[in-house]
Amino acid sequence: MSEALINYEPLYKSIIVLSSISIISLILCMFAFLCYKSLHLYSYKQVMYLFIATTLSTYSYLLYFNKTNELSTTVCQIQAFFLLWFEQSQFIWSALISYTTYKITTQSLGSDFVPPANVQKGYLYLGFIFPFANTAFAYLNGLLGESGHWCWISTLTIPGQILSWVAYSC
């Protein structure tokens, strides 16, 4: 391992510990949702989708890669793909939860409000499929790769720098 990587070993270890704690906490919250029928309101389902996106995003940080290994580029691409996909998904689910909360409070719909089935399906597409399509577009155009200490949007190209700036500003 190079000296530069040795200097960041404490960073990697802290990411492993903190990510593991986050994943365990998120899994416990998802388990509580599944066990308690009183939590099966639609607004809680949206929070459950956010938990899923957050768990998978956090897991993506644990995809450690050794830069001297031949498989590192493949693992790097996988990590970059998952990070970009699920970080976008987290952002969108947070916005959808905020919108649902706004609708419930301003229109006096009650906490047991359930949007029509087509709206729920649209939310699922917006929360998971739309970020997947964006990430697939970035992957197919070669915009994913090494970015600092892990893999995300590669800033080695002008389109990658622009995409990185847009992703950070959201």
Side-chain angles (χ1 to χ4, degrees):
M1 191 179 284
S2 71
E3 189 173 323
L5 289 176
I6 292 172
N7 291 336
Y8 291 105
E9 196 63 32
L11 174 67
Y12 292 132
K13 288 180 181 179
S14 65
I15 287 172
I16 289 170
V17 169
L18 295 173
S19 295
S20 299
I21 292 170
S22 295
I23 288 172
I24 291 168
S25 301
L26 289 162
I27 289 173
L28 288 173
C29 289
M30 287 187 274
F31 182 73
F33 174 81
L34 294 173
C35 289
Y36 294 104
K37 300 291 183 199
S38 62
L39 295 177
H40 286 207
L41 300 172
Y42 183 71
S43 55
Y44 287 120
K45 284 184 183 179
Q46 285 185 313
V47 173
M48 178 74 154
Y49 297 141
L50 176 62
F51 284 170
I52 291 168
T54 304
T55 302
L56 294 171
S57 174
T58 304
Y59 177 73
S60 299
Y61 283 103
L62 293 175
L63 292 176
Y64 178 79
F65 59 95
N66 183 355
K67 295 184 183 202
T68 61
N69 188 346
E70 291 178 16
L71 296 175
S72 67
T73 45
T74 304
V75 175
C76 181
Q77 292 290 315
I78 292 169
Q79 181 184 40
F81 192 92
F82 282 160
L83 277 175
L84 188 57
W85 178 12
F86 293 116
E87 285 177 351
Q88 288 179 69
S89 186
Q90 288 177 72
F91 176 76
I92 291 171
W93 279 113
S94 296
L96 290 172
I97 290 168
S98 299
Y99 178 72
T100 300
T101 304
Y102 167 78
K103 294 282 280 185
I104 288 171
T105 56
T106 60
Q107 297 179 358
S108 302
L109 298 175
S111 62
D112 57 349
F113 167 72
V114 178
N118 61 341
V119 172
Q120 292 180 37
K121 189 181 287 188
Y123 283 2
L124 282 171
Y125 286 137
L126 187 62
F128 288 115
I129 304 301
F130 180 72
F132 178 82
N134 285 339
T135 305
F137 175 79
Y139 173 76
L140 293 173
N141 287 296
L143 300 176
L144 303 181
E146 289 188 30
S147 179
H149 306 295
W150 52 76
C151 297
W152 193 55
I153 301 168
S154 177
T155 55
L156 299 177
T157 63
I158 299 296
Q161 291 173 358
I162 293 170
L163 182 61
S164 170
W165 181 82
V166 169
Y168 276 126
S169 62
C170 290

